[in-house]
């Protein structure tokens, strides 16, 4: 039996109050823990979905420009010949990056020119699988080429209008016959005037096998800033120019962070409410137990001992609530993610760090919430407390 | 040291905020070691206030309380806490036991001011003290399972378990019937005969008459000594 016996016995004697207080605190912490985990999974999932709205990094060959002027009259800039990107080398360099896991999609492009139906047309050679992941916003009349799609093409809306192209029609391009799988609906971008063909065909036409004019990269930025990823990409591909499409990255991260901030705000409100209840409960407990405090002081307990009795009672409730909240938070996470059809993404392993962090948070919050009522308790004068009754 | 000067009050003044006159007004009193002193007087005469000042439960506005020649009014709070824990013992009209602790645990309470658990010797002392007040076998009873007289005995055991030299009793029989009241006075008398100094506030002249000396108070001052 020591000083901790007092809060322990008191919480046991007032079990209904203890139960309610622990339940409220557990609810607050479990909501916080659950929302934190759910928001993490949702943000991750959200970002993965957002990458289908285009690249956020552009990798182009380094180019040299020459400014020509004579006699004060500018003739403009001339781009010197640039070396295309070697895909095998680029892939190897990307795979070796420390932040490789953050690179979700690498979509190579080879640009070439061809003539079709007597008109000059821009060909864009693409890797169908990567391209269709990156352009999740594309809609097509007809169908999209399959992942292999070695003899299929996709026409932009404007190109199809000019050349009167229809889905299913055959196209003769540089001696190869391709089937036009679909016609893209207008996107308002350069895609509208292009004809998308298999990467290999465009490489053959351009006479640059195994190479790409540029790469569009979709990176996941919730774990680290886009600047870190571009810096590593640049280091991995020194002969290329790596540019972050900052606006795209930031607007994407805004959406991701919005979900996280919303969850955090809701959690904070719940936790503050739980703390307020704890403070109110402890304050009423101090008022209710003035006689008890008076006795402690009358038999020689110091103010700090009285303070310790009340704070340790709250700490005990905090520790219990923290443990229960971890378990309840896990169930909450599974339930919510199940409702959102994302149960597969729910964390299943026990993680010590979040567990102990939650316990620590619970104990610290409860201790802080109880500090003021406990301080009030320590100020109770024994004679006033005992004689007033 | 003179037997008369175990505890001395000198020029004690205590005025409560808003009160017309002081509750204790320039009061002097000597209490000898081993004495059984009763403080009597009508309600509002200042006897309880005096008891609280003597036992260091409250501070006087002016004057000195000398315990073994040392002024305890000027002592730091830690010293006064220690005095209340080890040297002075206080019992009240209401027993003020903690309802969620057993009789033995209530008596052990003064040992629990720190994180260290009560030692086996402390538990033995508490059991012996319960036996001394006639409650052997009631160690595990909760206050709610005991009579008023038994509860007051537990309160006395709790007050004395750390070997206090002075017991301050504020109307210890006030909430008891005459039989239980008489038994408590008898217990105090026995403890006093074993060397304990007892200072008791009471309304009951019959009980007061059993003490060595009676101090009668009125309007915050001592009227008569007998």
């Amino acid at each position: 039996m020591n000083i901790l016996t007092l809060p322990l016995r008191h919480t046991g004697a007032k079990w209904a109050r203890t139960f309610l207080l622990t339940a409220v605190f557990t609810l607050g912490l479990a909501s916080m823990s659950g929302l934190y985990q759910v928001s993490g999974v949702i943000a991750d999932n959200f970002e993965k979905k957002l990458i289908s709205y285009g690249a956020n990094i552009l990798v182009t060959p380094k180019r040299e420009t020459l400014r020509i002027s004579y006699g004060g009259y500018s003739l403009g800039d001339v781009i010197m010949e640039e070396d295309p990107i070697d895909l095998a080398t680029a892939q190897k360099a990307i795979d070796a990056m420390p932040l490789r896991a953050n690179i979700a999609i690498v979509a190579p492009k080879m640009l070439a020119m061809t003539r079709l139906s007597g008109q000059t047309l821009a060909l864009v050679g693409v890797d169908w699988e990567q391209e269709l992941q990156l352009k999740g916003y594309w809609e097509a009349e007809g169908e999209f080429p399959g992942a292999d799609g070695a003899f299929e093409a996709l026409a932009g809306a404007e190109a199809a209008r000019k050349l009167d192209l229809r889905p299913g029609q055959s196209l003769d391009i540089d001696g190869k016959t391709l089937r036009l799988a679909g016609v893209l609906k207008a996107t308002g971008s350069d895609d509208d005037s292009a004809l998308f063909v298999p990467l290999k065909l465009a490489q053959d036409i351009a006479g640059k096998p195994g190479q790409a004019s540029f790469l569009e990269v979709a990176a996941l930025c919730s774990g680290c800033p886009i600047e870190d990823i571009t810096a590593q990409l640049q280091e991995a591909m020194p002969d290329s120019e790596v540019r972050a499409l900052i606006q795209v990255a930031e607007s994407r991260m805004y959406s991701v962070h919005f979900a996280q901030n919303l969850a955090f705000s809701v959690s904070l409100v719940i936790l503050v409410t739980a703390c307020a209840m704890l403070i109110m409960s402890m304050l009423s407990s101090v008022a209710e137990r003035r006689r008890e405090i008076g006795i402690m002081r009358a038999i020689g307990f110091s103010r700090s001992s009285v303070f310790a009795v009340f704070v340790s009672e709250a700490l005990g409730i905090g520790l219990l609530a923290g443990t229960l909240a971890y378990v309840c938070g896990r169930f909450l996470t599974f339930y919510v993610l199940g409702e959102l059809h994302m149960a597969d993404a729910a964390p299943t392993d026990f993680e010590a760090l979040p567990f102990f962090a939650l316990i620590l948070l619970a104990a610290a919050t409860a201790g802080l919430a109880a500090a003021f009522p406990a301080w009030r308790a320590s100020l109770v004068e024994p004679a006033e407390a005992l004689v007033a009754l | 040291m003179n037997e008369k000067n175990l505890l001395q009050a000198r020029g004690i003044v205590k005025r409560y905020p808003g009160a017309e006159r002081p509750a204790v007004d320039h009061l002097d009193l000597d209490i000898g070691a081993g004495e059984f002193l009763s403080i009597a007087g009508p309600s509002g005469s200042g006897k309880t206030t005096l008891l609280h000042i003597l036992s260091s439960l409250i501070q006087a506005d002016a004057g000195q309380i000398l315990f073994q020649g040392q002024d305890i009014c000027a002592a730091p709070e830690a010293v006064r806490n220690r005095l209340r824990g080890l040297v002075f013992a206080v019992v009240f009209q209401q027993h003020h036991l903690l309802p969620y602790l057993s009789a033995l645990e209530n008596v052990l309470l003064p040992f629990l001011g720190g994180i260290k658990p009560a030692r086996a010797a402390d538990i033995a002392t508490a059991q012996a003290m319960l036996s001394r007040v006639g409650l052997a076998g009631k160690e595990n009873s909760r206050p709610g399972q005991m009579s008023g007289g038994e509860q007051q005995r537990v309160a006395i055991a709790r007050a004395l378990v750390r070997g206090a030299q002075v017991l301050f009793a504020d109307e210890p029989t006030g909430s008891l019937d005459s039989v239980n009241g008489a038994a408590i006075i008898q217990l105090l008398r026995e403890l006093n005969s074993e060397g304990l100094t007892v200072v008791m506030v009471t309304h009951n002249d019959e009980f007061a008459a059993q003490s060595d000396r009676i101090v009668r108070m009125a309007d915050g001052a001592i009227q008569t000594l007998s």
Side-chain angles (χ1 to χ4, degrees), chain B residues 91 95 97 101-108 123-159 176 180 183-184 187 190-191:
Chain B
V91 290
H95 46 77
L97 300 179
L101 297 182
S102 68
L104 180 64
E105 289 166 338
N106 265 291
V107 176
L108 271 172
I123 296 169
T125 305
Q127 283 171 328
M129 189 51 71
L130 271 178
S131 297
R132 176 66 195 84
V133 297
L135 292 176
K138 294 270 186 180
E139 288 85 353
N140 295 320
S141 301
R142 294 285 170 105
Q145 299 167 315
M146 302 167 87
S147 70
E150 287 174 328
Q151 290 179 46
Q152 192 61 290
R153 285 166 185 270
V154 175
I156 292 170
R158 180 180 64 190
L176 302 177
N180 276 308
I184 290 296
L187 175 63
E190 288 169 17
L191 292 167

Side-chain angles (χ1 to χ4, degrees), chain A residues 304-355:
Chain A
S304 56
S305 296
V306 173
F307 183 86
V309 167
F310 280 85
V311 168
S312 57
E313 186 171 317
L315 281 177
I317 289 173
L319 288 173
L320 179 63
T323 310
L324 291 173
Y326 182 80
V327 177
C328 296
R330 276 300 181 100
F331 280 113
L332 187 69
T333 305
F334 277 108
Y335 176 74
V336 173
L337 289 178
E339 290 292 304
L340 297 172
H341 308 290
M342 285 193 261
D344 292 347
T348 49
D349 296 335
F350 170 78
E351 292 171 273
L353 187 65
F355 173 72

Side-chain angles (χ1 to χ4, degrees), chain A residues 204-224:
Chain A
D204 291 345
I205 292 170
K208 295 172 182 173
Q211 296 182 317
S213 305
F214 64 95
L215 308 177
E216 283 189 309
V217 178
L220 305 173
C221 305
S222 57
C224 62

Side-chain angles (χ1 to χ4, degrees), chain A residues 1 9 291-292 297 305 387, chain B residues 52 84 96 100 105 113 118:
Chain A
M1 205 181 165
R9 289 293 174 82
R291 189 180 72 169
E292 186 179 325
R297 297 280 290 130
S305 296
V387 175
Chain B
H52 290 163
R84 286 202 300 270
H96 297 319
Y100 51 86
E105 289 166 338

Side-chain angles (χ1 to χ4, degrees), chain A residues 289-300 306 377 380-386, chain B residues 57 84 92 96:
Chain A
R289 293 163 71 188
R290 276 179 68 83
R291 189 180 72 169
E292 186 179 325
I293 298 164
I295 278 296
M296 289 179 203
R297 297 280 290 130
I299 61 173
V306 173
V380 170
E381 288 297 338
E384 287 171 22
L386 297 170
Chain B
L57 283 178
R84 286 202 300 270
F92 301 88
H96 297 319

